[in-house]
Amino acid sequence: MTALLEVKDLQVRVDDREILHGLTMTVNGGEVHAIMGPNGSGKSTLSHVIAGKPGYEVTGGEILFKGEDLLEMEPDERAAKGVFLAFQYPVEIPGVTTMNFLRTAVNAQRKARGEDEYLVPDFLRKVREVAASLNIPMDMLKRGVNVGFSGGEKKRNEVLQMALFQPSLCILDEMDSGLDIDALRVAADGVNALRSPDRAMVVITHYQRLLNYIVPDVVHVMSQGRVVKSGGKELALELEATGYAQYEEVAA
Amino acid sequence: MAAVQETVDRVRQIDVDQYRYGFETIIESEKAPKGLSEDTVRYISAKKNEPAWMLEWRLEAYRRWLTMEEPKWARVEYPKIDFQDIYYYSAPKPKKTIGSIDEIDPEILETYKKLGIPLREIEALEGVVRPEGERKIAVDAVFDSVSVATTFQKELKQAGVIFMPISEAIREHPELVKQYLGTVVPTSDNFYATLNSAVFSDGSFVYVPPGVRCPMELSTYFRINERNTGQFERTLIIADKGAYVSYLEGCTAPQRDENQLHAAVVELVTLDDAEIKYSTVQNWYPGNSEGKGGIYNFVTKRGDCRGDNSKISWTQVETGSAITWKYPSCILRGDNSRGEFYSIAISNGYQQVDSGTKMIHLGKNTTSRIISKGIAAGKSQNTYRGLVTAHRKATNARNFTACDSLLIGDQCGAHTVPYIEAKNASTLFEHEATTSKISEDVLFYCIQRGLSQEEAVGLVVNGFVKDVLQQLPMEFAVEAQKLISISLEGSVG
Ligand SMILES: Nc1ncnc2c1ncn2[C@@H]1O[C@H](COP(=O)(O)OP(=O)(O)OP(=O)(O)O)[C@@H](O)[C@H]1O
Ligand SMILES: [Mg+2]
């Protein structure tokens, strides 16, 4: 069976500075991987490169998605094929209602896959259902995308999109930051509901607490642009107790 | 930087294929001899069977024009125009006088059909099942210099609304035309307005009688077809006491290598408690990727809130023309009168836009509101130029101005030039201005959700201009939204 995501010896530069120095990880369908690591270790960079954000130069290594060369694909093509990134810092798009944005995005993806566009009533039903499960009031969806949303609302909006698009690879970059305890539980439930054998999740977080809700199969420790240790969910607990100091030495 | 760079690269590739309306219609036409002289003016006047007073009016304007110079203050550059190298009158060769729409040259009907303008009232009503309560739109189509068809005449007549080519109004309602023509934009107003006064060939005339709410949207569709012609249309709209009318104007032209001159004059008059809403979707040919060709759009539009409690509202979506020089303005003469200006001006390729408004507060408690959204892409230059003044007697004058500019790429320019003058202490003028670059992160967010680069730019821009789009009548807003995406299509491929 081919892995859903294979990152092999990935080297990435930004503005002539190497940020990822040969990063390797393999994620199979059905698995949840957590990535933990100190600030600036390259977690968001990895997620951006997988999603295809411009401005990063891949100088070595490769990324395979369902066996295909992901780096050859345009970012919108990756999205249509099922790569989803819940951003650490979701942006605001003034004047574009969330509802309109969701519909435009869903239909763009469906079109790219050669599927018919959603009929409006079907789409609305789907959004209502998902929004309700995430405790997102419909009124919020009439507002500009993330405009004036609280930090937690922005994060929930990311999970909403994920649930709507049903991607096969979900990368969640610090979805727990800014969420209060109840919101965290609701969002985590939303993520858990999406767990399935043909879908994988990469959960980037600083806090073990999230992993009580979204229980990972594998935990990776990232430090200075590399995965320096991988283990089971108990690794997260260990980190909580010891911090990253020992790994920084390993990486250095 | 990469996405922006890509955007810029693609802007470079923008080519004429992007312009959908660039086809030419082959029809026989009748033209005045090239160039401008008293004889040209007499020729046009004679063609229109005008009364002597009208000819005199034109000639006076012509003589005045000879003494005038082209304005130089706008931030636009272009080679000197040879005013003797232009045809000032071109008309589709008439097959006798046109009595009904069936007598219009089928080629012209075909042209309007291609442009999506319903000239046949029946066609306008059938085919599509119209939602309950959707308003009808009466259309006056001006082809080169001549009005070729005005629809829904009968229904309008029943309401007492006069909507006809101005050439006809001069003959049929001389008292109204005489009373109002040139009272908002005097013949001596400025170089192009004066030129227009001398040689205007057609345009629309609207009179809405007291207390009447015009039963449908009125619309004029301008098309320049003939090579080397200028189009000088003249529009005069009067809303008598307590009347209301909403008027839409659309324009396109074939793509040509040479520049063509369009110098229109629009005058609006509202009497007590009257309101005119004037919307424009301007999509003249903008020129090709090297900046060759395109329309020079030098237009004078002004509204006079002559009566108390009257209101004039300009909404414009400007996407076309090589050069736009245009400042739809309001003279707030009546007490409590209100002027509004909502503008979306998009420039791409080598387009140059210098546009804005003037709000002249003369009456007491007059209010005005200006919302301007400029979007510059490619190598274009986009300037907002606005004047807000309050006269000594304009106590409690209020203005709110918000000018936002959005830059796509780094080879274009956006400029804001506000002039503010308040001659009395009770005035309250507020001005806000922002300039921002289209955000790389916002574009990527959209693209990560599956939108193409192009769709992402379209979406972000449509969000940026939303406040103004909302001012357009429904039927137009949808069109305008599409047009905005199309006109930026070149900017991201
Ligand atoms: N565009 C950029 N230009 C220069 N340096 C960058 C850029 N993007 C990221 N970096 C640098 O790369 C390193 C990794 O950043 P990244 O955002 O991936 O870290 P992170 O692990 O997600 O950190 P955090 O936990 O704080 O979110 C940092 O040192 C950061 O300053
Ligand atoms: Mg990060």
Side-chain angles (χ1 to χ4, degrees):
Chain A
M1 193 190 88
T2 48
L4 198 73
L5 176 72
E6 281 177 277
V7 182
K8 295 184 192 162
D9 194 27
L10 186 68
Q11 288 151 47
V12 172
R13 284 172 173 271
V14 177
D15 293 339
D16 286 335
R17 187 181 139 207
E18 192 168 276
I19 310 240
L20 300 184
H21 319 281
L23 184 145
T24 299
M25 68 188 291
T26 301
V27 182
N28 293 307
E31 291 178 352
V32 173
H33 288 224
I35 300 181
M36 304 184 81
N39 295 131
S41 55
K43 303 181 296 296
S44 293
T45 302
L46 173 65
S47 70
H48 288 157
V49 173
I50 293 172
K53 186 171 181 182
Y56 297 92
E57 190 193 352
V58 176
T59 52
E62 60 178 344
I63 305 177
L64 300 180
F65 177 62
K66 296 180 183 168
E68 286 185 86
D69 184 352
L70 194 67
L71 296 173
E72 278 302 302
M73 296 177 207
E74 293 294 329
D76 50 331
E77 194 183 340
R78 299 182 199 189
K81 290 208 160 153
V83 175
F84 180 89
L85 169 60
F87 286 85
Q88 181 174 0
Y89 304 108
V91 298
E92 302 188 358
I93 315 177
V96 178
T97 62
T98 308
M99 200 56 125
N100 178 26
F101 179 75
L102 295 176
R103 199 157 65 89
T104 309
V106 164
N107 284 335
Q109 292 190 19
R110 293 177 72 104
K111 208 173 111 197
R113 291 193 293 260
E115 299 165 11
D116 285 341
E117 294 197 346
Y118 252 124
L119 295 174
V120 176
D122 294 346
F123 171 76
L124 282 176
R125 192 174 325 114
K126 184 84 197 149
V127 173
R128 261 197 215 106
E129 184 190 304
V130 177
S133 73
L134 291 166
N135 272 349
I136 295 175
M138 290 304 281
D139 270 354
M140 214 169 96
L141 304 184
K142 292 180 190 149
R143 284 155 59 185
V145 177
N146 291 327
V147 176
F149 285 23
S150 73
E153 286 169 342
K154 285 182 184 171
K155 293 299 171 82
R156 261 184 287 166
N157 192 20
E158 296 293 283
V159 179
L160 169 74
Q161 294 177 54
M162 191 170 98
L164 208 55
F165 301 158
Q166 301 272 313
S168 40
L169 175 64
C170 310
I171 305 167
L172 299 146
D173 194 354
E174 296 194 24
M175 68 154 267
D176 49 342
S177 68
L179 286 182
D180 64 44
I181 297 161
D182 293 339
L184 179 66
R185 188 192 299 272
V186 171
D189 285 348
V191 173
N192 284 328
L194 286 169
R195 290 181 82 149
S196 88
D198 50 8
R199 181 173 294 131
M201 318 232 173
V202 176
V203 180
I204 297 171
T205 183
H206 286 295
Y207 304 106
Q208 196 275 330
R209 190 188 52 194
L210 175 69
L211 305 181
N212 289 336
Y213 295 109
I214 305 172
V215 181
D217 300 295
V218 183
V219 175
H220 304 279
V221 181
M222 244 183 104
S223 179
Q224 298 178 27
R226 288 192 186 89
V227 172
V228 291
K229 182 164 187 181
S230 302
K233 62 181 183 217
E234 60 296 335
L235 181 55
L237 286 165
E238 211 175 287
L239 283 171
E240 190 95 332
T242 60
Y244 295 116
Q246 50 171 323
Y247 299 108
E248 278 172 32
E249 277 155 34
V250 173
Chain B
M1 274 323 287
V4 168
Q5 187 50 48
E6 199 176 330
T7 305
V8 173
D9 290 345
R10 295 211 171 129
V11 166
R12 291 206 190 94
Q13 298 158 14
I14 172 180
D15 73 71
V16 288
D17 300 342
Q18 310 283 349
Y19 189 72
R20 282 198 195 167
Y21 310 96
F23 58 88
E24 176 180 8
T25 309
I26 308 296
I27 42 147
E28 269 194 279
S29 67
E30 184 178 33
K31 285 191 263 213
K34 216 180 207 179
L36 183 52
S37 66
E38 275 204 25
D39 286 345
T40 320
V41 177
R42 287 178 197 282
Y43 176 97
I44 295 169
S45 187
K47 274 284 156 210
K48 299 282 171 188
N49 282 321
E50 284 178 357
W53 63 268
M54 196 64 234
L55 175 62
E56 264 321 301
W57 197 87
R58 287 174 180 276
L59 286 172
E60 198 189 304
Y62 172 68
R63 288 173 200 131
R64 187 62 174 248
W65 181 75
L66 289 175
T67 69
M68 296 170 87
E69 294 210 9
E70 281 173 74
K72 292 273 185 291
W73 42 262
R75 194 186 180 108
V76 294
E77 273 173 48
Y78 53 95
K80 209 166 164 42
I81 298 171
D82 182 355
F83 288 93
Q84 296 306 335
D85 196 33
I86 295 172
Y87 290 105
Y88 286 84
Y89 181 83
S90 166
K93 210 161 215 170
K95 314 176 152 187
K96 345 176 273 278
T97 28
I98 294 168
S100 86
I101 201 148
D102 292 315
E103 292 169 60
I104 298 173
D105 192 319
E107 288 292 326
I108 294 179
L109 280 181
E110 192 51 38
T111 301
Y112 280 97
K113 212 166 130 193
K114 266 200 237 177
L115 295 167
I117 314 299
L119 285 191
R120 285 173 182 276
E121 292 158 28
I122 314 134
E123 272 177 19
L125 292 171
E126 62 180 25
V128 238
V129 184
R130 303 236 157 198
E132 199 68 29
E134 185 178 337
R135 286 161 303 177
K136 293 175 206 161
I137 304 177
V139 181
D140 181 20
V142 177
F143 199 83
D144 285 335
S145 309
V146 174
S147 172
V148 290
T150 309
T151 60
F152 289 107
Q153 286 282 19
K154 225 161 82 196
E155 269 187 77
L156 289 168
K157 211 168 189 169
Q158 270 169 6
V161 174
I162 304 171
F163 177 41
M164 56 171 55
I166 197 161
S167 56
E168 258 175 67
I170 288 166
R171 296 190 300 265
E172 290 179 26
H173 301 281
E175 68 303 332
L176 279 173
V177 176
K178 253 191 200 165
Q179 189 182 345
Y180 291 103
L181 187 73
T183 62
V184 187
V185 179
T187 47
S188 58
D189 192 79
N190 71 72
F191 185 83
Y192 295 109
T194 307
L195 176 63
N196 174 288
S197 302
V199 300
F200 77 86
S201 29
D202 224 328
S204 294
F205 176 82
V206 178
Y207 173 78
V208 188
V212 171
R213 200 181 161 86
C214 189
M216 61 186 85
E217 306 272 352
L218 302 183
S219 166
T220 301
Y221 196 87
F222 296 101
R223 173 81 178 167
I224 299 180
N225 188 60
E226 197 62 39
R227 196 175 286 274
N228 293 325
T229 50
Q231 179 147 308
F232 304 93
E233 84 264 4
R234 182 108 197 172
T235 296
L236 176 58
I237 302 176
I238 302 131
D240 211 319
K241 292 182 181 171
Y244 169 85
V245 61
S246 165
Y247 181 93
L248 323 171
E249 170 200 59
C251 358
T252 58
Q255 54 199 48
R256 301 195 183 286
D257 286 349
E258 70 275 2
N259 296 102
Q260 282 183 286
L261 179 61
H262 172 251
V265 172
V266 175
E267 296 178 279
L268 312 182
V269 180
T270 46
L271 302 186
D272 290 353
D273 307 304
E275 178 176 349
I276 297 176
K277 193 169 160 56
Y278 191 106
S279 313
T280 305
V281 174
Q282 185 267 108
N283 185 26
W284 296 117
Y285 177 53
N288 73 1
S289 51
E290 271 100 52
K292 208 170 161 54
I295 302 289
Y296 291 165
N297 191 31
F298 299 143
V299 170
T300 305
K301 291 184 165 172
R302 197 173 300 151
D304 188 357
C305 287
R306 206 162 280 183
D308 292 348
N309 315 311
S310 66
K311 177 175 167 187
I312 288 176
S313 171
W314 298 100
T315 304
Q316 59 173 24
V317 178
E318 304 277 319
T319 59
S321 297
I323 298 178
T324 301
W325 179 98
K326 176 181 172 190
Y327 315 89
S329 304
C330 297
I331 301 166
L332 304 170
R333 199 182 301 277
D335 291 346
N336 315 314
S337 60
R338 178 168 174 83
E340 293 175 344
F341 175 73
Y342 298 102
S343 171
I344 298 170
I346 299 186
S347 54
N348 198 352
Y350 283 85
Q351 284 177 275
Q352 305 175 60
V353 178
D354 195 299
S355 184
T357 183
K358 288 187 258 182
M359 293 291 171
I360 319 269
H361 292 256
L362 302 178
K364 295 185 186 62
N365 308 318
T366 46
T367 55
S368 60
R369 182 177 165 85
I370 299 171
I371 308 288
S372 163
K373 305 277 181 180
I375 296 126
K379 296 189 169 159
S380 66
Q381 294 295 327
N382 202 319
T383 303
Y384 167 83
R385 191 182 299 279
L387 169 71
V388 181
T389 72
H391 191 262
R392 214 167 28 79
K393 291 178 183 155
T395 46
N396 296 316
R398 297 279 180 271
N399 166 266
F400 174 76
T401 299
C403 287
D404 299 317
S405 306
L406 186 68
L407 297 167
I408 302 177
D410 50 14
Q411 297 186 61
C412 49
H415 319 276
T416 304
V417 191
Y419 304 91
I420 297 168
E421 280 169 26
K423 296 205 181 101
N424 81 70
S426 61
T427 303
L428 185 67
F429 288 170
E430 292 172 81
H431 180 93
E432 290 171 4
T434 66
T435 300
S436 51
K437 283 192 94 160
I438 195 159
S439 151
E440 193 76 46
D441 286 344
V442 171
L443 288 183
F444 182 65
Y445 187 84
C446 298
I447 293 167
Q448 206 302 303
R449 301 306 188 235
L451 276 67
S452 66
Q453 170 92 359
E454 190 169 275
E455 289 165 332
V457 171
L459 189 82
V460 172
V461 169
N462 271 307
F464 175 73
V465 301
K466 189 182 179 195
D467 300 349
V468 175
L469 275 185
Q470 282 173 336
Q471 298 298 327
L472 285 172
M474 255 313 260
E475 301 86 342
F476 249 33
V478 178
E479 262 313 292
Q481 199 161 358
K482 276 190 231 145
L483 187 59
I484 289 165
S485 296
I486 290 166
S487 59
L488 286 167
E489 229 162 60
S491 78
V492 281

